Amino acid sequence: MEESNNNITYIEFKAGNLEEVKSFYQECFQWRFKDYGPDYTSFSNSGIAGGFERSEDPAVNGALVVLYHSDLESIKETILRNGGIISKEIFSFPGGRRFHFMDPSGNELAVWSDR
């Protein structure tokens, strides 16, 4: 599937215990999981792609909404020009790159690219 700029394509949650959360969603909703090392697992069969990151931080917002954009540098500058704040600089991960930002109301979202 080809990604489109500005669309929500992924939702990410925090979890203190990945095995426990995987078991919960497998049993309750028949989600499927793929592990990416000891600290991350992605899920499918849920209606939208997503994942769980192992974290001891409390789940303040509940979910990290992830948008797609083919040009991270360009959309980052647009976000900054319009009052957004970068909360995590661009970094690489298996499958692409992304950064996190805070909107003017304090919601944290992320933007990723496969380029």
Side-chain angles (χ1 to χ4, degrees), residues 29-72:
F29 304 108
Q30 293 76 52
W31 290 8
R32 291 191 281 277
F33 291 88
K34 180 176 181 182
D35 294 336
Y36 291 93
D39 295 322
Y40 198 85
T41 188
S42 66
F43 59 80
S44 60
N45 200 40
S46 64
I48 188 168
F52 288 92
E53 173 190 22
R54 181 186 317 275
S55 175
E56 298 305 317
D57 295 337
V60 176
N61 287 341
L64 178 67
V65 175
V66 183
L67 296 90
Y68 177 85
H69 201 282
S70 60
D71 186 344
L72 286 185

mmCIF file of all heavy atoms in Angstrom, residues 29-72:
data_model
loop_
_atom_site.group_PDB
_atom_site.id
_atom_site.type_symbol
_atom_site.label_atom_id
_atom_site.label_comp_id
_atom_site.label_asym_id
_atom_site.label_seq_id
_atom_site.Cartn_x
_atom_site.Cartn_y
_atom_site.Cartn_z
ATOM 1 N N PHE A 29 -9.100 -9.455 21.275
ATOM 2 C CA PHE A 29 -9.441 -8.910 19.960
ATOM 3 C C PHE A 29 -8.789 -9.625 18.787
ATOM 4 O O PHE A 29 -8.922 -9.193 17.647
ATOM 5 C CB PHE A 29 -9.080 -7.427 19.908
ATOM 6 C CG PHE A 29 -9.718 -6.617 20.995
ATOM 7 C CD1 PHE A 29 -8.955 -6.131 22.049
ATOM 8 C CD2 PHE A 29 -11.082 -6.367 20.988
ATOM 9 C CE1 PHE A 29 -9.544 -5.391 23.058
ATOM 10 C CE2 PHE A 29 -11.669 -5.633 21.997
ATOM 11 C CZ PHE A 29 -10.908 -5.141 23.034
ATOM 12 N N GLN A 30 -8.046 -10.692 19.045
ATOM 13 C CA GLN A 30 -7.363 -11.486 18.017
ATOM 14 C C GLN A 30 -6.339 -10.681 17.207
ATOM 15 O O GLN A 30 -6.112 -10.952 16.018
ATOM 16 C CB GLN A 30 -8.370 -12.169 17.062
ATOM 17 C CG GLN A 30 -9.205 -13.240 17.725
ATOM 18 C CD GLN A 30 -10.306 -12.672 18.596
ATOM 19 O OE1 GLN A 30 -11.092 -11.841 18.155
ATOM 20 N NE2 GLN A 30 -10.369 -13.104 19.842
ATOM 21 N N TRP A 31 -5.731 -9.667 17.830
ATOM 22 C CA TRP A 31 -4.657 -8.939 17.153
ATOM 23 C C TRP A 31 -3.462 -9.872 16.990
ATOM 24 O O TRP A 31 -3.236 -10.775 17.780
ATOM 25 C CB TRP A 31 -4.241 -7.720 17.954
ATOM 26 C CG TRP A 31 -5.246 -6.612 17.986
ATOM 27 C CD1 TRP A 31 -6.531 -6.626 17.510
ATOM 28 C CD2 TRP A 31 -5.053 -5.327 18.563
ATOM 29 N NE1 TRP A 31 -7.140 -5.419 17.742
ATOM 30 C CE2 TRP A 31 -6.252 -4.600 18.404
ATOM 31 C CE3 TRP A 31 -3.989 -4.720 19.210
ATOM 32 C CZ2 TRP A 31 -6.401 -3.301 18.841
ATOM 33 C CZ3 TRP A 31 -4.139 -3.419 19.655
ATOM 34 C CH2 TRP A 31 -5.337 -2.714 19.465
ATOM 35 N N ARG A 32 -2.647 -9.617 15.957
ATOM 36 C CA ARG A 32 -1.413 -10.354 15.719
ATOM 37 C C ARG A 32 -0.231 -9.420 15.990
ATOM 38 O O ARG A 32 -0.336 -8.209 15.780
ATOM 39 C CB ARG A 32 -1.372 -10.881 14.290
ATOM 40 C CG ARG A 32 -2.394 -11.992 14.057
ATOM 41 C CD ARG A 32 -2.178 -12.700 12.749
ATOM 42 N NE ARG A 32 -2.671 -12.003 11.584
ATOM 43 C CZ ARG A 32 -3.928 -12.018 11.130
ATOM 44 N NH1 ARG A 32 -4.824 -12.628 11.718
ATOM 45 N NH2 ARG A 32 -4.282 -11.382 10.059
ATOM 46 N N PHE A 33 0.888 -9.989 16.411
ATOM 47 C CA PHE A 33 2.042 -9.195 16.817
ATOM 48 C C PHE A 33 3.318 -9.647 16.124
ATOM 49 O O PHE A 33 3.479 -10.824 15.809
ATOM 50 C CB PHE A 33 2.239 -9.284 18.337
ATOM 51 C CG PHE A 33 1.161 -8.581 19.098
ATOM 52 C CD1 PHE A 33 -0.007 -9.242 19.443
ATOM 53 C CD2 PHE A 33 1.295 -7.245 19.445
ATOM 54 C CE1 PHE A 33 -1.029 -8.596 20.118
ATOM 55 C CE2 PHE A 33 0.280 -6.590 20.125
ATOM 56 C CZ PHE A 33 -0.881 -7.261 20.458
ATOM 57 N N LYS A 34 4.222 -8.678 15.908
ATOM 58 C CA LYS A 34 5.563 -8.952 15.403
ATOM 59 C C LYS A 34 6.538 -8.169 16.270
ATOM 60 O O LYS A 34 6.429 -6.935 16.376
ATOM 61 C CB LYS A 34 5.699 -8.520 13.935
ATOM 62 C CG LYS A 34 7.079 -8.796 13.374
ATOM 63 C CD LYS A 34 7.173 -8.459 11.908
ATOM 64 C CE LYS A 34 8.563 -8.778 11.402
ATOM 65 N NZ LYS A 34 8.703 -8.424 9.998
ATOM 66 N N ASP A 35 7.453 -8.875 16.909
ATOM 67 C CA ASP A 35 8.420 -8.237 17.796
ATOM 68 C C ASP A 35 9.583 -7.648 17.012
ATOM 69 O O ASP A 35 10.060 -8.246 16.039
ATOM 70 C CB ASP A 35 8.962 -9.249 18.805
ATOM 71 C CG ASP A 35 7.901 -9.732 19.772
ATOM 72 O OD1 ASP A 35 6.910 -9.011 19.985
ATOM 73 O OD2 ASP A 35 8.066 -10.839 20.320
ATOM 74 N N TYR A 36 10.030 -6.489 17.468
ATOM 75 C CA TYR A 36 11.228 -5.824 16.939
ATOM 76 C C TYR A 36 12.164 -5.604 18.111
ATOM 77 O O TYR A 36 12.272 -4.507 18.642
ATOM 78 C CB TYR A 36 10.873 -4.491 16.272
ATOM 79 C CG TYR A 36 10.101 -4.665 14.988
ATOM 80 C CD1 TYR A 36 8.711 -4.660 14.986
ATOM 81 C CD2 TYR A 36 10.766 -4.860 13.788
ATOM 82 C CE1 TYR A 36 8.003 -4.835 13.805
ATOM 83 C CE2 TYR A 36 10.070 -5.030 12.600
ATOM 84 C CZ TYR A 36 8.684 -5.018 12.625
ATOM 85 O OH TYR A 36 7.988 -5.193 11.461
ATOM 86 N N GLY A 37 12.806 -6.646 18.544
ATOM 87 C CA GLY A 37 13.681 -6.584 19.702
ATOM 88 C C GLY A 37 12.880 -6.669 20.993
ATOM 89 O O GLY A 37 11.661 -6.868 20.978
ATOM 90 N N PRO A 38 13.552 -6.484 22.126
ATOM 91 C CA PRO A 38 12.891 -6.669 23.422
ATOM 92 C C PRO A 38 12.001 -5.500 23.844
ATOM 93 O O PRO A 38 11.217 -5.645 24.788
ATOM 94 C CB PRO A 38 14.071 -6.814 24.391
ATOM 95 C CG PRO A 38 15.163 -6.020 23.745
ATOM 96 C CD PRO A 38 14.978 -6.231 22.255
ATOM 97 N N ASP A 39 12.082 -4.362 23.154
ATOM 98 C CA ASP A 39 11.371 -3.168 23.618
ATOM 99 C C ASP A 39 10.273 -2.673 22.696
ATOM 100 O O ASP A 39 9.720 -1.593 22.909
ATOM 101 C CB ASP A 39 12.376 -2.032 23.859
ATOM 102 C CG ASP A 39 13.335 -2.363 24.984
ATOM 103 O OD1 ASP A 39 12.893 -2.974 25.976
ATOM 104 O OD2 ASP A 39 14.528 -2.023 24.872
ATOM 105 N N TYR A 40 9.955 -3.441 21.637
ATOM 106 C CA TYR A 40 8.927 -2.964 20.720
ATOM 107 C C TYR A 40 8.226 -4.138 20.048
ATOM 108 O O TYR A 40 8.859 -5.125 19.660
ATOM 109 C CB TYR A 40 9.518 -2.054 19.631
ATOM 110 C CG TYR A 40 8.453 -1.227 18.967
ATOM 111 C CD1 TYR A 40 8.055 -0.023 19.524
ATOM 112 C CD2 TYR A 40 7.796 -1.685 17.830
ATOM 113 C CE1 TYR A 40 7.031 0.723 18.950
ATOM 114 C CE2 TYR A 40 6.773 -0.952 17.258
ATOM 115 C CZ TYR A 40 6.399 0.255 17.816
ATOM 116 O OH TYR A 40 5.376 0.973 17.258
ATOM 117 N N THR A 41 6.923 -4.014 19.902
ATOM 118 C CA THR A 41 6.149 -4.978 19.135
ATOM 119 C C THR A 41 5.099 -4.230 18.333
ATOM 120 O O THR A 41 4.516 -3.259 18.821
ATOM 121 C CB THR A 41 5.495 -6.043 20.044
ATOM 122 O OG1 THR A 41 4.920 -7.063 19.233
ATOM 123 C CG2 THR A 41 4.445 -5.453 20.972
ATOM 124 N N SER A 42 4.907 -4.625 17.083
ATOM 125 C CA SER A 42 3.865 -4.007 16.268
ATOM 126 C C SER A 42 2.660 -4.929 16.262
ATOM 127 O O SER A 42 2.769 -6.122 16.522
ATOM 128 C CB SER A 42 4.351 -3.763 14.847
ATOM 129 O OG SER A 42 4.592 -4.992 14.192
ATOM 130 N N PHE A 43 1.491 -4.346 15.968
ATOM 131 C CA PHE A 43 0.287 -5.173 15.883
ATOM 132 C C PHE A 43 -0.404 -4.979 14.548
ATOM 133 O O PHE A 43 -0.253 -3.963 13.884
ATOM 134 C CB PHE A 43 -0.679 -4.912 17.049
ATOM 135 C CG PHE A 43 -1.181 -3.503 17.199
ATOM 136 C CD1 PHE A 43 -2.219 -3.013 16.416
ATOM 137 C CD2 PHE A 43 -0.631 -2.661 18.149
ATOM 138 C CE1 PHE A 43 -2.699 -1.722 16.571
ATOM 139 C CE2 PHE A 43 -1.105 -1.367 18.316
ATOM 140 C CZ PHE A 43 -2.138 -0.896 17.536
ATOM 141 N N SER A 44 -1.155 -6.004 14.172
ATOM 142 C CA SER A 44 -1.956 -5.972 12.950
ATOM 143 C C SER A 44 -3.280 -6.663 13.246
ATOM 144 O O SER A 44 -3.509 -7.127 14.357
ATOM 145 C CB SER A 44 -1.219 -6.668 11.805
ATOM 146 O OG SER A 44 -0.962 -8.016 12.133
ATOM 147 N N ASN A 45 -4.140 -6.717 12.245
ATOM 148 C CA ASN A 45 -5.473 -7.311 12.381
ATOM 149 C C ASN A 45 -6.343 -6.479 13.325
ATOM 150 O O ASN A 45 -7.195 -7.013 14.033
ATOM 151 C CB ASN A 45 -5.386 -8.763 12.859
ATOM 152 C CG ASN A 45 -6.644 -9.542 12.553
ATOM 153 O OD1 ASN A 45 -7.228 -9.382 11.490
ATOM 154 N ND2 ASN A 45 -7.068 -10.375 13.482
ATOM 155 N N SER A 46 -6.113 -5.148 13.324
ATOM 156 C CA SER A 46 -6.815 -4.268 14.262
ATOM 157 C C SER A 46 -7.581 -3.141 13.567
ATOM 158 O O SER A 46 -8.201 -2.332 14.239
ATOM 159 C CB SER A 46 -5.810 -3.639 15.228
ATOM 160 O OG SER A 46 -4.918 -2.815 14.504
ATOM 161 N N GLY A 47 -7.485 -3.054 12.267
ATOM 162 C CA GLY A 47 -8.129 -1.960 11.542
ATOM 163 C C GLY A 47 -7.178 -0.840 11.186
ATOM 164 O O GLY A 47 -7.410 -0.102 10.239
ATOM 165 N N ILE A 48 -6.103 -0.675 11.953
ATOM 166 C CA ILE A 48 -5.046 0.292 11.663
ATOM 167 C C ILE A 48 -3.754 -0.287 12.231
ATOM 168 O O ILE A 48 -3.783 -1.006 13.229
ATOM 169 C CB ILE A 48 -5.339 1.690 12.257
ATOM 170 C CG1 ILE A 48 -4.313 2.722 11.768
ATOM 171 C CG2 ILE A 48 -5.377 1.654 13.769
ATOM 172 C CD1 ILE A 48 -4.686 4.166 12.061
ATOM 173 N N ALA A 49 -2.643 -0.010 11.586
ATOM 174 C CA ALA A 49 -1.360 -0.506 12.072
ATOM 175 C C ALA A 49 -0.965 0.236 13.339
ATOM 176 O O ALA A 49 -1.310 1.396 13.530
ATOM 177 C CB ALA A 49 -0.292 -0.330 10.990
ATOM 178 N N GLY A 50 -0.229 -0.448 14.195
ATOM 179 C CA GLY A 50 0.219 0.184 15.423
ATOM 180 C C GLY A 50 1.255 -0.644 16.138
ATOM 181 O O GLY A 50 1.697 -1.681 15.643
ATOM 182 N N GLY A 51 1.629 -0.166 17.311
ATOM 183 C CA GLY A 51 2.633 -0.873 18.082
ATOM 184 C C GLY A 51 2.617 -0.477 19.538
ATOM 185 O O GLY A 51 1.953 0.484 19.938
ATOM 186 N N PHE A 52 3.368 -1.247 20.323
ATOM 187 C CA PHE A 52 3.564 -0.977 21.740
ATOM 188 C C PHE A 52 5.055 -0.845 22.006
ATOM 189 O O PHE A 52 5.845 -1.703 21.600
ATOM 190 C CB PHE A 52 3.026 -2.121 22.607
ATOM 191 C CG PHE A 52 1.533 -2.194 22.650
ATOM 192 C CD1 PHE A 52 0.839 -2.983 21.749
ATOM 193 C CD2 PHE A 52 0.820 -1.474 23.599
ATOM 194 C CE1 PHE A 52 -0.548 -3.060 21.791
ATOM 195 C CE2 PHE A 52 -0.560 -1.542 23.643
ATOM 196 C CZ PHE A 52 -1.245 -2.336 22.745
ATOM 197 N N GLU A 53 5.437 0.236 22.682
ATOM 198 C CA GLU A 53 6.815 0.470 23.087
ATOM 199 C C GLU A 53 6.932 0.177 24.574
ATOM 200 O O GLU A 53 6.142 0.675 25.374
ATOM 201 C CB GLU A 53 7.196 1.928 22.826
ATOM 202 C CG GLU A 53 8.557 2.306 23.365
ATOM 203 C CD GLU A 53 8.806 3.803 23.321
ATOM 204 O OE1 GLU A 53 7.841 4.583 23.281
ATOM 205 O OE2 GLU A 53 9.985 4.172 23.371
ATOM 206 N N ARG A 54 7.924 -0.661 24.953
ATOM 207 C CA ARG A 54 8.164 -0.912 26.366
ATOM 208 C C ARG A 54 8.647 0.394 26.998
ATOM 209 O O ARG A 54 9.578 1.027 26.517
ATOM 210 C CB ARG A 54 9.213 -1.993 26.576
ATOM 211 C CG ARG A 54 9.446 -2.290 28.069
ATOM 212 C CD ARG A 54 10.592 -3.253 28.311
ATOM 213 N NE ARG A 54 10.640 -4.381 27.412
ATOM 214 C CZ ARG A 54 9.971 -5.517 27.578
ATOM 215 N NH1 ARG A 54 9.177 -5.660 28.612
ATOM 216 N NH2 ARG A 54 10.100 -6.494 26.699
ATOM 217 N N SER A 55 7.971 0.794 28.071
ATOM 218 C CA SER A 55 8.316 2.048 28.726
ATOM 219 C C SER A 55 7.835 2.019 30.167
ATOM 220 O O SER A 55 6.749 1.515 30.453
ATOM 221 C CB SER A 55 7.665 3.224 27.988
ATOM 222 O OG SER A 55 7.901 4.423 28.678
ATOM 223 N N GLU A 56 8.636 2.561 31.048
ATOM 224 C CA GLU A 56 8.225 2.718 32.441
ATOM 225 C C GLU A 56 7.489 4.042 32.646
ATOM 226 O O GLU A 56 6.925 4.283 33.703
ATOM 227 C CB GLU A 56 9.446 2.636 33.367
ATOM 228 C CG GLU A 56 10.156 1.285 33.307
ATOM 229 C CD GLU A 56 9.232 0.106 33.589
ATOM 230 O OE1 GLU A 56 8.412 0.191 34.538
ATOM 231 O OE2 GLU A 56 9.311 -0.897 32.849
ATOM 232 N N ASP A 57 7.490 4.896 31.618
ATOM 233 C CA ASP A 57 6.781 6.172 31.702
ATOM 234 C C ASP A 57 5.279 5.914 31.756
ATOM 235 O O ASP A 57 4.774 5.006 31.098
ATOM 236 C CB ASP A 57 7.076 7.045 30.477
ATOM 237 C CG ASP A 57 8.529 7.469 30.396
ATOM 238 O OD1 ASP A 57 9.208 7.473 31.443
ATOM 239 O OD2 ASP A 57 8.981 7.785 29.283
ATOM 240 N N PRO A 58 4.553 6.721 32.513
ATOM 241 C CA PRO A 58 3.099 6.555 32.525
ATOM 242 C C PRO A 58 2.495 6.905 31.171
ATOM 243 O O PRO A 58 3.022 7.740 30.441
ATOM 244 C CB PRO A 58 2.631 7.540 33.602
ATOM 245 C CG PRO A 58 3.732 8.536 33.732
ATOM 246 C CD PRO A 58 5.001 7.821 33.356
ATOM 247 N N ALA A 59 1.400 6.262 30.834
ATOM 248 C CA ALA A 59 0.697 6.530 29.575
ATOM 249 C C ALA A 59 -0.164 7.770 29.771
ATOM 250 O O ALA A 59 -1.329 7.690 30.110
ATOM 251 C CB ALA A 59 -0.148 5.338 29.168
ATOM 252 N N VAL A 60 0.412 8.957 29.545
ATOM 253 C CA VAL A 60 -0.279 10.218 29.776
ATOM 254 C C VAL A 60 -1.341 10.468 28.719
ATOM 255 O O VAL A 60 -2.494 10.716 29.023
ATOM 256 C CB VAL A 60 0.728 11.397 29.822
ATOM 257 C CG1 VAL A 60 0.007 12.716 29.975
ATOM 258 C CG2 VAL A 60 1.726 11.193 30.949
ATOM 259 N N ASN A 61 -0.964 10.410 27.459
ATOM 260 C CA ASN A 61 -1.913 10.656 26.372
ATOM 261 C C ASN A 61 -2.610 9.391 25.916
ATOM 262 O O ASN A 61 -3.549 9.448 25.142
ATOM 263 C CB ASN A 61 -1.208 11.292 25.167
ATOM 264 C CG ASN A 61 -0.849 12.738 25.409
ATOM 265 O OD1 ASN A 61 -1.406 13.367 26.282
ATOM 266 N ND2 ASN A 61 0.096 13.247 24.652
ATOM 267 N N GLY A 62 -2.150 8.249 26.328
ATOM 268 C CA GLY A 62 -2.767 6.993 25.942
ATOM 269 C C GLY A 62 -2.250 6.429 24.640
ATOM 270 O O GLY A 62 -1.957 5.261 24.562
ATOM 271 N N ALA A 63 -2.127 7.239 23.612
ATOM 272 C CA ALA A 63 -1.677 6.747 22.311
ATOM 273 C C ALA A 63 -0.866 7.816 21.602
ATOM 274 O O ALA A 63 -1.085 9.007 21.790
ATOM 275 C CB ALA A 63 -2.879 6.382 21.444
ATOM 276 N N LEU A 64 0.071 7.366 20.796
ATOM 277 C CA LEU A 64 0.820 8.265 19.934
ATOM 278 C C LEU A 64 0.292 8.086 18.521
ATOM 279 O O LEU A 64 0.409 7.005 17.936
ATOM 280 C CB LEU A 64 2.319 7.944 19.974
ATOM 281 C CG LEU A 64 3.192 8.801 19.052
ATOM 282 C CD1 LEU A 64 3.203 10.250 19.530
ATOM 283 C CD2 LEU A 64 4.594 8.250 18.984
ATOM 284 N N VAL A 65 -0.344 9.106 17.982
ATOM 285 C CA VAL A 65 -0.850 9.075 16.614
ATOM 286 C C VAL A 65 0.310 9.424 15.684
ATOM 287 O O VAL A 65 1.019 10.403 15.902
ATOM 288 C CB VAL A 65 -2.023 10.062 16.437
ATOM 289 C CG1 VAL A 65 -2.460 10.124 14.985
ATOM 290 C CG2 VAL A 65 -3.181 9.671 17.340
ATOM 291 N N VAL A 66 0.491 8.607 14.652
ATOM 292 C CA VAL A 66 1.612 8.770 13.736
ATOM 293 C C VAL A 66 1.080 9.050 12.334
ATOM 294 O O VAL A 66 0.311 8.264 11.791
ATOM 295 C CB VAL A 66 2.512 7.511 13.725
ATOM 296 C CG1 VAL A 66 3.714 7.722 12.826
ATOM 297 C CG2 VAL A 66 2.954 7.160 15.144
ATOM 298 N N LEU A 67 1.483 10.199 11.762
ATOM 299 C CA LEU A 67 1.105 10.578 10.414
ATOM 300 C C LEU A 67 2.248 10.257 9.467
ATOM 301 O O LEU A 67 3.390 10.114 9.903
ATOM 302 C CB LEU A 67 0.809 12.074 10.334
ATOM 303 C CG LEU A 67 -0.368 12.569 11.153
ATOM 304 C CD1 LEU A 67 0.072 12.970 12.543
ATOM 305 C CD2 LEU A 67 -1.036 13.712 10.467
ATOM 306 N N TYR A 68 1.943 10.175 8.189
ATOM 307 C CA TYR A 68 2.968 9.933 7.167
ATOM 308 C C TYR A 68 3.228 11.209 6.390
ATOM 309 O O TYR A 68 2.308 11.973 6.103
ATOM 310 C CB TYR A 68 2.507 8.854 6.179
ATOM 311 C CG TYR A 68 3.516 8.635 5.078
ATOM 312 C CD1 TYR A 68 4.587 7.785 5.263
ATOM 313 C CD2 TYR A 68 3.414 9.313 3.874
ATOM 314 C CE1 TYR A 68 5.535 7.596 4.269
ATOM 315 C CE2 TYR A 68 4.355 9.139 2.872
ATOM 316 C CZ TYR A 68 5.409 8.283 3.082
ATOM 317 O OH TYR A 68 6.360 8.108 2.101
ATOM 318 N N HIS A 69 4.489 11.434 6.035
ATOM 319 C CA HIS A 69 4.844 12.481 5.074
ATOM 320 C C HIS A 69 6.131 12.060 4.376
ATOM 321 O O HIS A 69 7.069 11.607 5.031
ATOM 322 C CB HIS A 69 5.032 13.838 5.751
ATOM 323 C CG HIS A 69 4.896 14.973 4.795
ATOM 324 N ND1 HIS A 69 5.889 15.333 3.921
ATOM 325 C CD2 HIS A 69 3.869 15.811 4.561
ATOM 326 C CE1 HIS A 69 5.482 16.357 3.191
ATOM 327 N NE2 HIS A 69 4.246 16.664 3.553
ATOM 328 N N SER A 70 6.173 12.213 3.062
ATOM 329 C CA SER A 70 7.329 11.766 2.286
ATOM 330 C C SER A 70 8.561 12.638 2.504
ATOM 331 O O SER A 70 9.677 12.201 2.250
ATOM 332 C CB SER A 70 6.988 11.720 0.799
ATOM 333 O OG SER A 70 6.610 13.011 0.339
ATOM 334 N N ASP A 71 8.401 13.870 2.993
ATOM 335 C CA ASP A 71 9.521 14.791 3.183
ATOM 336 C C ASP A 71 9.525 15.284 4.625
ATOM 337 O O ASP A 71 8.894 16.293 4.953
ATOM 338 C CB ASP A 71 9.379 15.963 2.212
ATOM 339 C CG ASP A 71 10.568 16.910 2.231
ATOM 340 O OD1 ASP A 71 11.385 16.860 3.188
ATOM 341 O OD2 ASP A 71 10.672 17.718 1.304
ATOM 342 N N LEU A 72 10.231 14.563 5.490
ATOM 343 C CA LEU A 72 10.230 14.905 6.921
ATOM 344 C C LEU A 72 10.755 16.305 7.194
ATOM 345 O O LEU A 72 10.183 17.023 8.029
ATOM 346 C CB LEU A 72 11.075 13.897 7.711
ATOM 347 C CG LEU A 72 10.494 12.519 7.925
ATOM 348 C CD1 LEU A 72 11.411 11.696 8.832
ATOM 349 C CD2 LEU A 72 9.099 12.583 8.502
#
